[in-house]
Amino acid sequence: MTDVVATTPGLFPLPDWAKEDLSDLKGHQKGDLVSGGEGGEIARAYDRVRNEVVDDQTDAGLDRFVEGQARWDDMLAHPLTVHENVETGGIVRYYDNNNFYRDPRVTGELTFSGDVAAELEAASGLLGSDADDRLQAVLPGPYTLADLASDEYYGDEAEFLAAVSEFLAGEVEAFPAHATLFLLEPSFVTNAPDDDLDERASEAIDAVAGATDADVVVHTYWEAFAEKPYAHLMDADVDALGFDFVAADREANLECINEYGTKGDVALGLVDGQNTLVEEPGTIAERVNWVREQVPGQEFDTTYVSYNTEPFYLPTSKHVEKLSAIAEAARLAATEGVEA
């Protein structure tokens, strides 16, 4: 029987107290984690959020724990907006959501940063001795990160994508031991790579995945895969592809799986990351089994049950309820009580 793993794509909502406290700290700069002064206060606030995030996931009973990405004010653009060779430009709408991020303008070489690794080290310390089996790292995929950025240094689209991929691979190499890496690639479906980039995008993802021994999931959301980029993505050496079964065209996703196959594992975005309605665990489990029934020729070794999108936009209370629903649904789907 397939393993059913309860997890999330990270990017959790900030608790109300954190929004208020962080906005009140004078001189707050995104990514400011220096010790002493206001930087120290900011660091302590983020540490407190990280502790709450881990506690929430523990109470819910999730199988994989994320750091929460509380510092990622620029959402998936974060790894670039905190880089020393990146200037933050004007405010840009984040996909089709009523949220915004600062345009990262790459003005120099994308050298090693270590920013995300430091966050994961802190989260790993909170998880204790079995952190290696529970910690899930989260990063934007290279195609999405390049899509969200402006290149003012490399001068060539393919070269820029390769540079972003090399940068992310270097960051991953510095991560503490982790069980899973989720590469979030919404741009791969909302602005799919064209004929000049589809193979290169797959190669870029493959390069990042090759930097870790953990299981790698390429999670997409908001729209379904286009067939040609999907076919190229199947060449990437990753463990699972993620499908949005809430907002995207379900039939288009199923067509890709049934026509081209998919990886041995799969990630299913079955819980709405942007709607406050809390799904019943039994309903989520039924959705897991519905997908299984639609792809009769495909047996999955591991099925990741997750939000379809990041839950950043949810009220914290609803988010916490949904975490518990995801965990309980995974348990139900893994038992004979819910027939596959």
Side-chain angles (χ1 to χ4, degrees), residues 5 18 22 72 78-79 83 92 122 125-126 131 140-141 149-150 181 196 222 242 269 272 289 312 317 331 335-336 339:
V5 174
L22 289 168
W72 292 28
H78 170 84
H83 194 281
V92 184
L126 296 174
S150 298
L181 169 63
D196 294 328
W222 286 318
D272 197 329
N289 292 312
F312 176 82
S317 60
R331 286 190 287 269
T335 67
E336 294 181 357
E339 295 182 359

Side-chain angles (χ1 to χ4, degrees), residues 46-272:
Y46 283 128
D47 286 344
R48 181 181 167 191
V49 173
R50 185 181 297 113
N51 276 272
E52 288 190 10
V53 162
V54 170
D55 287 345
D56 288 341
Q57 293 172 96
T58 299
D59 293 343
L62 290 185
D63 298 304
R64 297 289 186 272
F65 286 62
V66 298
E67 189 269 343
Q69 295 74 50
R71 292 173 54 242
W72 292 28
D73 296 342
D74 290 305
M75 306 298 286
L76 295 180
H78 170 84
L80 290 185
T81 56
V82 296
H83 194 281
E84 62 181 1
N85 291 331
V86 176
E87 296 178 0
T88 50
I91 300 298
V92 184
R93 183 179 292 275
Y94 184 69
Y95 295 100
D96 291 330
N97 299 295
N98 190 27
N99 199 61
F100 302 86
Y101 70 101
R102 300 174 302 169
D103 173 30
R105 297 183 292 137
V106 178
T107 58
E109 184 181 359
L110 290 176
T111 53
F112 175 73
S113 164
D115 179 84
V116 178
E119 293 179 339
L120 289 171
E121 288 283 2
S124 180
L126 296 174
L127 292 175
S129 60
D130 59 346
D132 295 6
D133 297 323
R134 296 197 293 167
L135 183 63
Q136 176 174 297
V138 173
L139 276 178
Y143 180 76
T144 289
L145 189 56
D147 182 53
L148 294 175
S150 298
D151 172 31
E152 299 182 5
Y153 178 75
Y154 292 93
D156 176 82
E157 189 175 26
E159 184 179 350
F160 181 53
L161 176 60
V164 170
S165 176
E166 183 179 353
F167 162 67
L168 289 175
E171 299 302 293
V172 170
E173 288 175 354
F175 287 179
H178 51 287
T180 316
L181 169 63
F182 258 51
L183 293 176
L184 306 185
E185 281 282 15
S187 287
F188 203 93
V189 290
T190 62
N191 183 28
D194 59 23
D195 290 344
D196 294 328
L197 275 187
D198 49 12
E199 187 173 358
R200 293 179 184 273
S202 174
E203 292 171 350
I205 291 169
D206 186 78
V208 179
T212 179
D213 293 328
D215 293 333
V216 178
V217 178
V218 178
H219 189 53
T220 62
Y221 42 99
W222 286 318
E223 294 184 20
F225 283 101
E227 290 188 6
K228 192 166 183 288
Y230 180 85
H232 278 295
L233 184 57
M234 280 293 293
D235 294 331
D237 188 14
V238 300
D239 298 277
L241 303 182
F243 300 86
D244 182 345
F245 279 96
V246 175
D249 184 332
R250 298 178 183 181
E251 294 304 319
N253 277 333
L254 292 171
E255 184 177 346
C256 278
I257 296 174
N258 286 320
E259 182 170 348
Y260 297 102
T262 194
K263 299 294 183 176
D265 302 337
V266 70
L268 303 179
L270 298 172
V271 175
D272 197 329

